[in-house]
């Protein structure tokens, strides 16, 4: 086993000037008084929320969403199980039961729709029987379900379809997720009203700063892209010049909304950030003037 002495030498040199300072961070314990069963501790530091204790351990890292304590609380309050787990140190594992149930369900659905029962043929080849006989199919399915030695590789050998294999987060990931959600809900419930109001003002100020920094356009000629660019609906055509070169580009725009007030009704729009160059007729054809669209009458232009 490697002892990594090279890293030991590099670390000693790299850490030579390090000094200990106290950084920001907070920690809370949740549990019954004088009892450790199902108790846990949640610790926040910039960019990180850690859950530890009798429910297991998890480290969730999200930057910049965890840069402040209350941003972390808000993020965890909104996050669903899979999304928060993606930000943590849990890894999906082969889910034997879900894989077996899904494969059997797929097989029966294929049989009902009149397609070739390949799965049942494979199961009968593995566990014995004739796929054309109902009783043999049921026996093969029962043996498949009861086979506790199944692995992902063996299931692939049987079904011949990698998409049949299901991977899920382990039970421990759910425990730490529920602990983090309870902590976030408790923090929000105990947050003083004045603090909620102060945070709302801070968010609105940040939104307003973002709105005011963005490049704005008054009554621009709006375009749409029928072939779609995700959620982007409106574009403006702009000319650019840089280092003696010039050209045209399409910039995505959204209504200008200072303090939540939609001012597109008087013709104010702001650039959203997305942009795509126009290099020729083919690029140009992807965009059409909004005025040419049947429903354009209700949009300010």
């Amino acid at each position: 086993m490697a002892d990594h002495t090279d890293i030991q030498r590099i670390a000693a040199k790299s850490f030579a000037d390090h000094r200990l300072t106290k950084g920001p961070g907070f920690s809370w314990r949740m549990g019954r008084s004088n009892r450790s069963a199902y108790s846990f501790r949640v610790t926040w530091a910039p960019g990180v929320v850690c859950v530890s204790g009798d429910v297991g351990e998890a480290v969730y890292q999200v930057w910049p969403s965890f840069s402040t304590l209350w941003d972390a609380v808000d993020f965890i309050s909104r996050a669903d199980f899979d999304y928060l787990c993606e930000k943590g140190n849990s890894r999906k594992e082969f889910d034997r039961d879900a894989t077996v149930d899904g494969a059997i369900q797929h097989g029966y659905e294929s049989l009902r729709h009149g397609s070739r029962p390949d799965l049942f043929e494979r199961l009968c080849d593995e566990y014995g029987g004739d796929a054309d006989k109902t009783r043999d199919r049921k026996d093969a399915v029962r043996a498949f379900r009861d086979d506790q030695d199944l692995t992902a590789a063996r299931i692939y050998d049987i079904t011949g379809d990698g998409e049949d294999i299901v991977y899920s987060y382990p039970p421990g990931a759910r425990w730490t997720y529920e602990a983090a959600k309870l902590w976030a809900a408790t923090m929000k419930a105990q947050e003083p009203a004045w603090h909620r109001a102060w945070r709302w003002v801070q968010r609105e100020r940040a939104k307003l700063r973002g709105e005011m920094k963005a490049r704005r356009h008054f009554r621009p000629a709006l375009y749409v892209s029928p072939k779609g660019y995700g959620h982007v609906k409106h574009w403006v055509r702009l000319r650019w010049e840089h280092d003696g070169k010039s050209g045209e580009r399409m910039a995505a725009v959204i209504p200008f909304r200072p303090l939540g007030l939609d001012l597109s009704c008087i013709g104010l729009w702001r650039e959203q950030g997305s942009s795509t160059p126009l290099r020729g007729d083919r690029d140009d054809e992807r965009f059409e003037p909004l005025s040419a669209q049947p429903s354009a009458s209700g949009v300010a232009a």
Side-chain angles (χ1 to χ4, degrees):
M1 181 177 179
D3 57 7
H4 303 297
T5 54
D6 55 334
I7 296 178
Q8 181 183 19
R9 291 190 297 270
I10 295 171
K13 184 177 181 179
S14 301
F15 298 161
D17 296 326
H18 281 32
R19 298 293 180 268
L20 179 66
T21 58
K22 188 180 185 306
F26 301 96
S27 187
W28 299 261
R29 178 188 182 274
M30 296 199 69
R32 300 182 182 90
S33 299
N34 303 319
R35 293 186 62 183
S36 61
Y38 297 106
S39 65
F40 58 89
R41 182 171 293 279
V42 176
T43 303
W44 168 84
V48 180
V49 171
C50 303
V51 177
S52 60
D54 206 39
V55 298
E57 291 77 36
V59 179
Y60 303 108
Q61 300 185 64
V62 191
W63 186 266
S65 297
F66 283 6
S67 58
T68 71
L69 168 62
W70 287 101
D71 283 346
V73 170
D74 288 339
F75 184 98
I76 292 176
S77 296
R78 297 189 303 268
D80 62 24
F81 175 62
D82 285 330
Y83 186 68
L84 190 61
C85 284
E86 289 177 1
K87 307 300 182 182
N89 58 341
S90 293
R91 295 295 176 263
K92 288 186 176 182
E93 302 172 353
F94 167 59
D95 191 329
R96 175 202 173 279
D97 293 343
T99 298
V100 170
D101 290 343
I104 293 172
Q105 181 182 0
H106 173 71
Y108 278 118
E109 288 177 351
S110 298
L111 191 64
R112 282 194 297 270
H113 295 149
S115 58
R116 181 178 171 83
D118 292 320
L119 176 61
F120 293 111
E121 291 181 1
R122 291 173 177 271
L123 288 179
C124 288
D125 287 343
E126 179 72 20
Y127 296 103
D130 185 345
D132 293 328
K133 296 180 180 180
T134 301
R135 182 170 181 176
D136 286 359
R137 285 201 306 268
K138 290 183 177 180
D139 289 343
V141 166
R142 189 178 299 109
F144 181 52
R145 194 186 298 276
D146 294 341
D147 189 347
Q148 297 301 314
D149 295 327
L150 288 170
T151 62
R154 184 147 176 259
I155 287 181
Y156 176 76
D157 290 339
I158 294 173
T159 68
D161 190 347
E163 293 186 0
D164 285 332
I165 302 171
V166 178
Y167 292 89
S168 304
Y169 288 107
R174 189 78 201 198
W175 276 104
T176 52
Y177 168 78
E178 295 296 340
K181 294 288 282 189
L182 176 60
W183 166 77
T186 305
M187 291 288 289
K188 290 179 76 71
Q190 295 181 359
E191 183 182 12
W194 70 265
H195 194 265
R196 285 198 300 271
W198 177 82
R199 289 207 297 132
W200 179 86
V201 171
Q202 294 300 105
R203 287 195 300 269
E204 293 304 312
R205 286 181 60 187
K207 290 179 184 177
L208 182 59
R209 285 196 297 268
E211 291 282 346
M212 299 306 296
K213 286 181 179 178
R215 183 178 178 183
R216 295 181 295 278
H217 302 276
F218 181 64
R219 296 187 180 279
L222 296 174
Y223 290 77
V224 294
S225 174
K227 296 184 180 180
Y229 276 83
H231 63 282
V232 177
K233 295 182 179 180
H234 301 107
W235 301 78
V236 295
R237 188 180 190 123
L238 302 174
R239 187 162 185 84
W240 60 268
E241 294 184 6
H242 183 69
D243 291 340
K245 299 180 180 180
S246 63
E248 288 187 306
R249 66 183 178 94
M250 299 300 294
V253 293
I254 58 176
F256 180 54
R257 292 191 179 97
L259 300 177
L261 182 63
D262 189 342
L263 297 185
S264 64
C265 59
I266 61 172
L268 276 173
W269 296 75
R270 74 171 181 88
E271 293 187 26
Q272 179 247 14
S274 299
S275 177
T276 183
L278 296 175
R279 300 186 179 92
D281 293 341
R282 188 169 183 178
D283 287 336
D284 196 50
E285 289 172 358
R286 291 180 297 167
F287 300 91
E288 296 181 6
L290 181 64
S291 58
Q293 298 293 308
S295 57
S297 58
V299 180

PDB file of all heavy atoms in Angstrom, residues 79-97:
ATOM      1  N   ALA A  79     -35.237  21.931  -1.647  1.00  0.00           N
ATOM      2  CA  ALA A  79     -34.631  20.824  -2.381  1.00  0.00           C
ATOM      3  C   ALA A  79     -35.381  19.519  -2.156  1.00  0.00           C
ATOM      4  O   ALA A  79     -35.732  19.182  -1.018  1.00  0.00           O
ATOM      5  CB  ALA A  79     -33.171  20.661  -1.972  1.00  0.00           C
ATOM      6  N   ASP A  80     -35.609  18.765  -3.241  1.00  0.00           N
ATOM      7  CA  ASP A  80     -36.177  17.431  -3.085  1.00  0.00           C
ATOM      8  C   ASP A  80     -35.054  16.429  -2.833  1.00  0.00           C
ATOM      9  O   ASP A  80     -33.871  16.773  -2.831  1.00  0.00           O
ATOM     10  CB  ASP A  80     -37.024  17.034  -4.297  1.00  0.00           C
ATOM     11  CG  ASP A  80     -36.228  16.972  -5.598  1.00  0.00           C
ATOM     12  OD1 ASP A  80     -35.002  16.776  -5.546  1.00  0.00           O
ATOM     13  OD2 ASP A  80     -36.838  17.125  -6.676  1.00  0.00           O
ATOM     14  N   PHE A  81     -35.435  15.187  -2.609  1.00  0.00           N
ATOM     15  CA  PHE A  81     -34.481  14.166  -2.170  1.00  0.00           C
ATOM     16  C   PHE A  81     -33.350  13.962  -3.173  1.00  0.00           C
ATOM     17  O   PHE A  81     -32.165  14.069  -2.822  1.00  0.00           O
ATOM     18  CB  PHE A  81     -35.232  12.847  -1.926  1.00  0.00           C
ATOM     19  CG  PHE A  81     -34.350  11.688  -1.577  1.00  0.00           C
ATOM     20  CD1 PHE A  81     -33.581  11.714  -0.431  1.00  0.00           C
ATOM     21  CD2 PHE A  81     -34.296  10.571  -2.395  1.00  0.00           C
ATOM     22  CE1 PHE A  81     -32.750  10.641  -0.101  1.00  0.00           C
ATOM     23  CE2 PHE A  81     -33.485   9.498  -2.077  1.00  0.00           C
ATOM     24  CZ  PHE A  81     -32.713   9.535  -0.926  1.00  0.00           C
ATOM     25  N   ASP A  82     -33.689  13.671  -4.419  1.00  0.00           N
ATOM     26  CA  ASP A  82     -32.652  13.383  -5.405  1.00  0.00           C
ATOM     27  C   ASP A  82     -31.738  14.584  -5.630  1.00  0.00           C
ATOM     28  O   ASP A  82     -30.514  14.432  -5.772  1.00  0.00           O
ATOM     29  CB  ASP A  82     -33.276  12.953  -6.737  1.00  0.00           C
ATOM     30  CG  ASP A  82     -33.807  11.532  -6.694  1.00  0.00           C
ATOM     31  OD1 ASP A  82     -33.244  10.722  -5.938  1.00  0.00           O
ATOM     32  OD2 ASP A  82     -34.777  11.227  -7.401  1.00  0.00           O
ATOM     33  N   TYR A  83     -32.324  15.783  -5.669  1.00  0.00           N
ATOM     34  CA  TYR A  83     -31.522  16.967  -5.958  1.00  0.00           C
ATOM     35  C   TYR A  83     -30.520  17.242  -4.845  1.00  0.00           C
ATOM     36  O   TYR A  83     -29.344  17.522  -5.113  1.00  0.00           O
ATOM     37  CB  TYR A  83     -32.431  18.176  -6.160  1.00  0.00           C
ATOM     38  CG  TYR A  83     -31.691  19.413  -6.607  1.00  0.00           C
ATOM     39  CD1 TYR A  83     -31.119  19.468  -7.878  1.00  0.00           C
ATOM     40  CD2 TYR A  83     -31.553  20.511  -5.769  1.00  0.00           C
ATOM     41  CE1 TYR A  83     -30.421  20.597  -8.297  1.00  0.00           C
ATOM     42  CE2 TYR A  83     -30.868  21.642  -6.185  1.00  0.00           C
ATOM     43  CZ  TYR A  83     -30.308  21.677  -7.449  1.00  0.00           C
ATOM     44  OH  TYR A  83     -29.618  22.795  -7.850  1.00  0.00           O
ATOM     45  N   LEU A  84     -30.959  17.144  -3.580  1.00  0.00           N
ATOM     46  CA  LEU A  84     -30.033  17.413  -2.482  1.00  0.00           C
ATOM     47  C   LEU A  84     -28.963  16.331  -2.398  1.00  0.00           C
ATOM     48  O   LEU A  84     -27.796  16.620  -2.121  1.00  0.00           O
ATOM     49  CB  LEU A  84     -30.788  17.520  -1.157  1.00  0.00           C
ATOM     50  CG  LEU A  84     -29.950  18.033   0.029  1.00  0.00           C
ATOM     51  CD1 LEU A  84     -29.429  19.425  -0.253  1.00  0.00           C
ATOM     52  CD2 LEU A  84     -30.769  18.024   1.313  1.00  0.00           C
ATOM     53  N   CYS A  85     -29.357  15.078  -2.661  1.00  0.00           N
ATOM     54  CA  CYS A  85     -28.373  13.988  -2.627  1.00  0.00           C
ATOM     55  C   CYS A  85     -27.289  14.179  -3.680  1.00  0.00           C
ATOM     56  O   CYS A  85     -26.131  13.808  -3.468  1.00  0.00           O
ATOM     57  CB  CYS A  85     -29.056  12.641  -2.823  1.00  0.00           C
ATOM     58  SG  CYS A  85     -29.941  12.051  -1.351  1.00  0.00           S
ATOM     59  N   GLU A  86     -27.650  14.751  -4.814  1.00  0.00           N
ATOM     60  CA  GLU A  86     -26.651  15.031  -5.841  1.00  0.00           C
ATOM     61  C   GLU A  86     -25.582  15.997  -5.347  1.00  0.00           C
ATOM     62  O   GLU A  86     -24.460  16.000  -5.851  1.00  0.00           O
ATOM     63  CB  GLU A  86     -27.324  15.619  -7.084  1.00  0.00           C
ATOM     64  CG  GLU A  86     -28.157  14.615  -7.877  1.00  0.00           C
ATOM     65  CD  GLU A  86     -28.861  15.265  -9.044  1.00  0.00           C
ATOM     66  OE1 GLU A  86     -28.676  16.499  -9.227  1.00  0.00           O
ATOM     67  OE2 GLU A  86     -29.593  14.575  -9.759  1.00  0.00           O
ATOM     68  N   LYS A  87     -25.941  16.819  -4.363  1.00  0.00           N
ATOM     69  CA  LYS A  87     -25.003  17.794  -3.818  1.00  0.00           C
ATOM     70  C   LYS A  87     -24.224  17.231  -2.636  1.00  0.00           C
ATOM     71  O   LYS A  87     -23.401  17.943  -2.052  1.00  0.00           O
ATOM     72  CB  LYS A  87     -25.756  19.057  -3.364  1.00  0.00           C
ATOM     73  CG  LYS A  87     -26.652  19.668  -4.413  1.00  0.00           C
ATOM     74  CD  LYS A  87     -25.887  20.079  -5.655  1.00  0.00           C
ATOM     75  CE  LYS A  87     -26.787  20.730  -6.687  1.00  0.00           C
ATOM     76  NZ  LYS A  87     -26.065  21.095  -7.919  1.00  0.00           N
ATOM     77  N   GLY A  88     -24.508  15.985  -2.262  1.00  0.00           N
ATOM     78  CA  GLY A  88     -23.868  15.396  -1.101  1.00  0.00           C
ATOM     79  C   GLY A  88     -22.870  14.315  -1.468  1.00  0.00           C
ATOM     80  O   GLY A  88     -22.522  14.107  -2.632  1.00  0.00           O
ATOM     81  N   ASN A  89     -22.408  13.606  -0.448  1.00  0.00           N
ATOM     82  CA  ASN A  89     -21.386  12.582  -0.646  1.00  0.00           C
ATOM     83  C   ASN A  89     -21.976  11.183  -0.770  1.00  0.00           C
ATOM     84  O   ASN A  89     -21.221  10.208  -0.856  1.00  0.00           O
ATOM     85  CB  ASN A  89     -20.367  12.615   0.498  1.00  0.00           C
ATOM     86  CG  ASN A  89     -21.021  12.422   1.860  1.00  0.00           C
ATOM     87  OD1 ASN A  89     -22.226  12.611   2.020  1.00  0.00           O
ATOM     88  ND2 ASN A  89     -20.236  12.063   2.860  1.00  0.00           N
ATOM     89  N   SER A  90     -23.299  11.048  -0.786  1.00  0.00           N
ATOM     90  CA  SER A  90     -23.912   9.740  -1.001  1.00  0.00           C
ATOM     91  C   SER A  90     -23.824   9.364  -2.475  1.00  0.00           C
ATOM     92  O   SER A  90     -23.907  10.229  -3.350  1.00  0.00           O
ATOM     93  CB  SER A  90     -25.383   9.749  -0.566  1.00  0.00           C
ATOM     94  OG  SER A  90     -25.493   9.914   0.830  1.00  0.00           O
ATOM     95  N   ARG A  91     -23.677   8.091  -2.740  1.00  0.00           N
ATOM     96  CA  ARG A  91     -23.600   7.601  -4.106  1.00  0.00           C
ATOM     97  C   ARG A  91     -24.670   6.532  -4.325  1.00  0.00           C
ATOM     98  O   ARG A  91     -24.961   5.738  -3.429  1.00  0.00           O
ATOM     99  CB  ARG A  91     -22.214   7.007  -4.391  1.00  0.00           C
ATOM    100  CG  ARG A  91     -21.092   8.036  -4.326  1.00  0.00           C
ATOM    101  CD  ARG A  91     -21.244   9.077  -5.426  1.00  0.00           C
ATOM    102  NE  ARG A  91     -20.234  10.135  -5.334  1.00  0.00           N
ATOM    103  CZ  ARG A  91     -20.428  11.303  -4.766  1.00  0.00           C
ATOM    104  NH1 ARG A  91     -21.615  11.579  -4.217  1.00  0.00           N
ATOM    105  NH2 ARG A  91     -19.471  12.206  -4.723  1.00  0.00           N
ATOM    106  N   LYS A  92     -25.258   6.550  -5.497  1.00  0.00           N
ATOM    107  CA  LYS A  92     -26.281   5.568  -5.806  1.00  0.00           C
ATOM    108  C   LYS A  92     -25.685   4.159  -5.840  1.00  0.00           C
ATOM    109  O   LYS A  92     -24.540   3.968  -6.251  1.00  0.00           O
ATOM    110  CB  LYS A  92     -26.955   5.896  -7.140  1.00  0.00           C
ATOM    111  CG  LYS A  92     -27.863   7.111  -7.081  1.00  0.00           C
ATOM    112  CD  LYS A  92     -28.613   7.311  -8.388  1.00  0.00           C
ATOM    113  CE  LYS A  92     -29.593   8.476  -8.268  1.00  0.00           C
ATOM    114  NZ  LYS A  92     -30.374   8.671  -9.515  1.00  0.00           N
ATOM    115  N   GLU A  93     -26.507   3.200  -5.416  1.00  0.00           N
ATOM    116  CA  GLU A  93     -26.093   1.810  -5.381  1.00  0.00           C
ATOM    117  C   GLU A  93     -27.067   0.964  -6.188  1.00  0.00           C
ATOM    118  O   GLU A  93     -28.209   1.365  -6.430  1.00  0.00           O
ATOM    119  CB  GLU A  93     -26.058   1.306  -3.931  1.00  0.00           C
ATOM    120  CG  GLU A  93     -25.132   2.098  -3.020  1.00  0.00           C
ATOM    121  CD  GLU A  93     -25.268   1.695  -1.565  1.00  0.00           C
ATOM    122  OE1 GLU A  93     -26.202   0.883  -1.266  1.00  0.00           O
ATOM    123  OE2 GLU A  93     -24.471   2.159  -0.727  1.00  0.00           O
ATOM    124  N   PHE A  94     -26.611  -0.197  -6.578  1.00  0.00           N
ATOM    125  CA  PHE A  94     -27.473  -1.138  -7.292  1.00  0.00           C
ATOM    126  C   PHE A  94     -28.671  -1.479  -6.419  1.00  0.00           C
ATOM    127  O   PHE A  94     -28.532  -1.936  -5.293  1.00  0.00           O
ATOM    128  CB  PHE A  94     -26.690  -2.393  -7.650  1.00  0.00           C
ATOM    129  CG  PHE A  94     -27.549  -3.544  -8.119  1.00  0.00           C
ATOM    130  CD1 PHE A  94     -28.370  -3.411  -9.230  1.00  0.00           C
ATOM    131  CD2 PHE A  94     -27.537  -4.750  -7.436  1.00  0.00           C
ATOM    132  CE1 PHE A  94     -29.172  -4.458  -9.652  1.00  0.00           C
ATOM    133  CE2 PHE A  94     -28.318  -5.814  -7.858  1.00  0.00           C
ATOM    134  CZ  PHE A  94     -29.136  -5.661  -8.968  1.00  0.00           C
ATOM    135  N   ASP A  95     -29.875  -1.226  -6.942  1.00  0.00           N
ATOM    136  CA  ASP A  95     -31.119  -1.491  -6.222  1.00  0.00           C
ATOM    137  C   ASP A  95     -31.721  -2.781  -6.774  1.00  0.00           C
ATOM    138  O   ASP A  95     -32.418  -2.775  -7.786  1.00  0.00           O
ATOM    139  CB  ASP A  95     -32.084  -0.314  -6.399  1.00  0.00           C
ATOM    140  CG  ASP A  95     -33.287  -0.394  -5.469  1.00  0.00           C
ATOM    141  OD1 ASP A  95     -33.708  -1.520  -5.137  1.00  0.00           O
ATOM    142  OD2 ASP A  95     -33.820   0.672  -5.094  1.00  0.00           O
ATOM    143  N   ARG A  96     -31.438  -3.879  -6.096  1.00  0.00           N
ATOM    144  CA  ARG A  96     -31.869  -5.178  -6.601  1.00  0.00           C
ATOM    145  C   ARG A  96     -33.384  -5.260  -6.702  1.00  0.00           C
ATOM    146  O   ARG A  96     -33.931  -5.675  -7.737  1.00  0.00           O
ATOM    147  CB  ARG A  96     -31.358  -6.283  -5.671  1.00  0.00           C
ATOM    148  CG  ARG A  96     -31.852  -7.681  -6.051  1.00  0.00           C
ATOM    149  CD  ARG A  96     -31.805  -8.637  -4.875  1.00  0.00           C
ATOM    150  NE  ARG A  96     -32.431  -9.901  -5.220  1.00  0.00           N
ATOM    151  CZ  ARG A  96     -33.739 -10.111  -5.203  1.00  0.00           C
ATOM    152  NH1 ARG A  96     -34.575  -9.126  -4.870  1.00  0.00           N
ATOM    153  NH2 ARG A  96     -34.232 -11.294  -5.532  1.00  0.00           N
ATOM    154  N   ASP A  97     -34.102  -4.874  -5.635  1.00  0.00           N
ATOM    155  CA  ASP A  97     -35.559  -5.037  -5.625  1.00  0.00           C
ATOM    156  C   ASP A  97     -36.225  -4.189  -6.702  1.00  0.00           C
ATOM    157  O   ASP A  97     -37.116  -4.666  -7.422  1.00  0.00           O
ATOM    158  CB  ASP A  97     -36.122  -4.677  -4.248  1.00  0.00           C
ATOM    159  CG  ASP A  97     -35.683  -5.665  -3.178  1.00  0.00           C
ATOM    160  OD1 ASP A  97     -35.243  -6.774  -3.539  1.00  0.00           O
ATOM    161  OD2 ASP A  97     -35.771  -5.325  -1.978  1.00  0.00           O
TER     162      ASP A  97
END
